Amino acid sequence: MIYLASPAYGGLSIGTHASIRMMDTNRNYDVFEKNQDFSALCFNFNTMWCDMLNRRKEAEIDYWVMIHSDIEVIEVDWLEKLIGLLQYTCCDVLSVVSPIKDERGLTSTGIYDLEDGRVFKRLTMTELDKLPKTFNYLDVVETIKPNLVKGHRNCLVVNTGLMIVRVDDWCEKIYFRTKDWIVKDTNGKFRAEFKSEDWLFSLDAFLLNKQVVATRDIKLNHIGINKYPNYGIWGTLLEDNLS
């Protein structure tokens, strides 16, 4: 059984609705669909996560799949493909790469430094073209950041826009959360800092010794003012180094 969560605020986009309906045309899995409309992002996610946890043993739920209300998948067999990629890689969390909704070609898939407690590298659409379509942290290090210090504690952080999670007992130890705070810099200026729910979910999964993998093997558009695709080489930035 697959638990399909589609969180929204103000309803699903036409593209997301079409993506969910499209997966019904050819599937070999039972799917329980849950759409929920709350403005509080993590509360929305966590309410459906708890619902999945409460149902999972009786309903024999094997996978949690989440699709955001601004994601448009353009492959008919995307659900079958998502499950197949999870099984092939033997990972626990698999995310489909989604670009940020602007013209830079940045994505929210990156590398988190556990010692510094921050993401210091986000992948661009140009860099993604150099990687395997489905990749893990080591692939990024070997291809994009070969000069990283050996033994330094880093992990891959991914997006929750379209993701699948292998459901097991470990899922009771994790949830969606954000972190917000303010800092005062050396010039006496205050600025806001933020860690997103997708990066923290990736980090928490890593700390539970779970494997986190990203893929571009499923084509999608991130819907904003325009549609921003996760395929092809595009964007004004060739690389983005936050360090």
Side-chain angles (χ1 to χ4, degrees):
M1 172 72 77
I2 299 165
Y3 190 107
L4 178 67
S6 51
Y9 180 56
L12 301 177
S13 69
I14 294 174
T16 306
H17 183 75
S19 300
I20 294 173
R21 297 282 68 81
M22 187 166 56
M23 76 177 191
D24 289 333
T25 59
N26 181 26
R27 70 185 190 203
N28 298 316
Y29 299 90
D30 293 325
V31 178
F32 176 82
E33 295 183 32
K34 180 71 171 182
N35 172 243
Q36 190 162 268
D37 204 322
F38 284 133
S39 60
L41 183 72
C42 287
F43 181 76
N44 201 346
F45 293 2
N46 284 327
T47 300
M48 288 186 285
W49 187 255
C50 289
D51 185 48
M52 177 274 291
L53 291 175
N54 291 330
R55 295 173 183 268
R56 75 178 184 96
K57 291 185 177 178
E58 183 177 353
E60 298 182 343
I61 296 172
D62 301 300
Y63 307 110
W64 155 283
V65 175
M66 180 157 64
I67 181 169
H68 288 191
S69 62
D70 57 359
I71 295 294
E72 175 186 52
V73 194
I74 56 176
E75 298 190 26
V76 173
D77 61 345
W78 66 267
L79 182 60
E80 298 274 351
K81 199 169 184 179
L82 196 63
I83 296 168
L85 287 168
L86 182 81
Q87 293 173 340
Y88 177 75
T89 57
C90 298
C91 69
D92 302 285
V93 178
L94 177 72
S95 164
V96 182
V97 176
S98 176
I100 293 170
K101 292 186 282 189
D102 59 35
E103 302 303 323
R104 293 174 295 171
L106 272 175
T107 76
S108 52
T109 300
I111 302 176
Y112 189 96
D113 186 324
L114 278 78
E115 294 185 13
D116 290 344
R118 66 188 182 94
V119 171
F120 68 90
K121 174 67 182 176
R122 295 174 295 182
L123 295 172
T124 67
M125 293 301 301
T126 299
E127 290 174 319
L128 284 168
D129 191 62
K130 303 173 185 176
L131 289 164
K133 282 194 173 182
T134 301
F135 58 92
N136 58 23
Y137 165 72
L138 290 178
D139 293 318
V140 177
V141 172
E142 292 172 1
T143 307
I144 307 297
K145 296 290 287 184
N147 296 322
L148 283 180
V149 178
K150 299 294 184 182
H152 208 59
R153 294 198 72 202
N154 301 316
C155 66
L156 184 72
V157 288
V158 297
N159 184 265
T160 60
L162 180 59
M163 70 181 300
I164 182 169
V165 177
R166 190 187 302 274
V167 175
D168 209 334
D169 291 343
W170 73 274
C171 293
E172 297 181 8
K173 303 175 183 178
I174 194 171
Y175 52 88
F176 298 95
R177 62 191 179 95
T178 60
K179 184 177 180 180
D180 296 84
W181 70 102
I182 62 172
V183 296
K184 188 177 183 180
D185 64 24
T186 56
N187 296 320
K189 299 294 184 180
F190 291 94
R191 70 173 185 272
E193 298 283 349
F194 169 73
K195 289 183 182 178
S196 64
E197 98 292 336
D198 41 12
W199 287 351
L200 289 176
F201 188 87
S202 304
L203 172 64
D204 291 343
F206 173 80
L207 294 174
L208 289 169
N209 295 314
K210 299 304 169 183
Q211 297 296 316
V212 178
V213 172
T215 187
R216 276 195 310 141
D217 206 17
I218 296 173
K219 293 180 180 179
L220 60 74
N221 293 314
H222 200 183
I223 303 171
I225 298 175
N226 299 306
K227 291 184 178 182
Y228 301 91
N230 72 343
Y231 49 93
I233 301 174
W234 62 271
T236 58
L237 290 180
L238 300 181
E239 63 176 334
D240 177 63
N241 194 326
L242 297 179
S243 61

